[in-house]
Amino acid sequence: MIRDIVTYGNHVLRMKGKRIDRIDEEIRTLAADMLETMYEANGVGLAAQQVGRALQLTVIDVSEAESRPSRMWLGGEEVDPKEHMPLILINPELQFSEEMELGTEGCLSFPEITAEIPRPAKVRVTAQDLQGNRIEFEAAGLLGRAVQHETDHLNGILFIDRMSSATKASLAGRLKRLAAESKQ
């Protein structure tokens, strides 16, 4: 079922997601709905907060993003990320490389707004899958960026919080209008 994506100004986007201790049918249904919603919106990631639920759950699929390569490692071996999509991450925890890089980001909760965002170039992810199994991988490129962006959402952090002050100032009018529209 396709769910409504909440936009900037909705308080749930600023809420830290509750840890998921039991993966039941409700969580599985929510994850399936989130995937369907993300695909319908042509996104590469979606956090539970973006469909109005403050939980530690995100879905990611970068397999169609041909112009922005992704890299993935399992157990130290590089693998084809497409073979592991979609990713459903429950209670993710991240460790970051020290190397930083700038990259363009957008967000389904900020329609038609993009910006250059600095992020660590590589990230190590530990999470659970829908079966409750522990999963660990490393990611770089678009996948690494998407994991960081979505995990920020799970902690109430938005990509505008990571923009330069000049970029944020240049978007102030659009952000104000978006926030006002979401409160109607």
Side-chain angles (χ1 to χ4, degrees):
M1 174 179 85
I2 294 173
R3 297 186 182 220
D4 290 335
I5 296 174
V6 300
T7 55
Y8 178 63
N10 188 309
H11 73 283
V12 74
L13 291 175
R14 290 291 187 187
M15 294 174 70
K16 180 171 172 55
K18 184 175 171 279
R19 184 171 174 79
I20 296 172
D21 294 321
R22 216 172 112 250
I23 301 166
D24 55 16
E25 200 51 43
E26 180 186 351
I27 295 299
R28 287 186 190 90
T29 299
L30 176 59
D33 289 354
M34 287 170 60
L35 279 170
E36 191 176 347
T37 302
M38 178 188 74
Y39 291 135
E40 176 71 17
N42 296 313
V44 296
L46 192 68
Q49 280 80 344
Q50 293 178 277
V51 293
R53 301 288 307 274
L55 296 169
Q56 290 286 315
L57 169 65
T58 186
V59 299
I60 296 170
D61 189 339
V62 296
S63 61
E64 297 297 315
E66 298 291 333
S67 64
R68 297 192 57 195
S70 290
R71 296 181 71 192
M72 184 178 197
W73 294 263
L74 291 172
E77 295 289 318
E78 191 161 4
V79 298
D80 182 354
K82 288 181 182 180
E83 295 175 7
H84 300 276
M85 296 295 132
L87 285 170
I88 297 168
L89 304 176
I90 297 170
N91 305 321
E93 294 176 13
L94 307 183
Q95 292 177 303
F96 306 103
S97 69
E98 291 193 20
E99 181 189 348
M100 298 291 285
E101 64 184 15
L102 265 181
T104 304
E105 290 185 29
C107 180
L108 295 175
S109 293
F110 291 80
E112 299 175 25
I113 294 176
T114 60
E116 292 293 308
I117 306 293
R119 294 218 185 251
K122 194 172 183 183
V123 62
R124 175 183 288 278
V125 182
T126 305
Q128 288 176 285
D129 64 16
L130 273 182
Q131 287 69 48
N133 300 316
R134 180 184 165 100
I135 53 173
E136 287 185 62
F137 63 93
E138 289 177 275
L142 180 60
L143 177 58
R145 184 165 290 279
V147 167
Q148 293 175 67
H149 178 109
E150 299 309 329
T151 302
D152 271 357
H153 270 300
L154 302 183
N155 293 301
I157 299 166
L158 304 175
F159 87 129
I160 60 170
D161 301 334
R162 302 217 183 262
M163 289 177 183
S164 70
S165 52
T167 301
K168 197 168 179 180
S170 74
L171 293 170
R174 289 169 71 188
L175 292 171
K176 195 173 190 174
R177 278 192 303 280
L178 187 57
E181 289 168 10
S182 81
K183 290 190 166 100
Q184 292 176 350

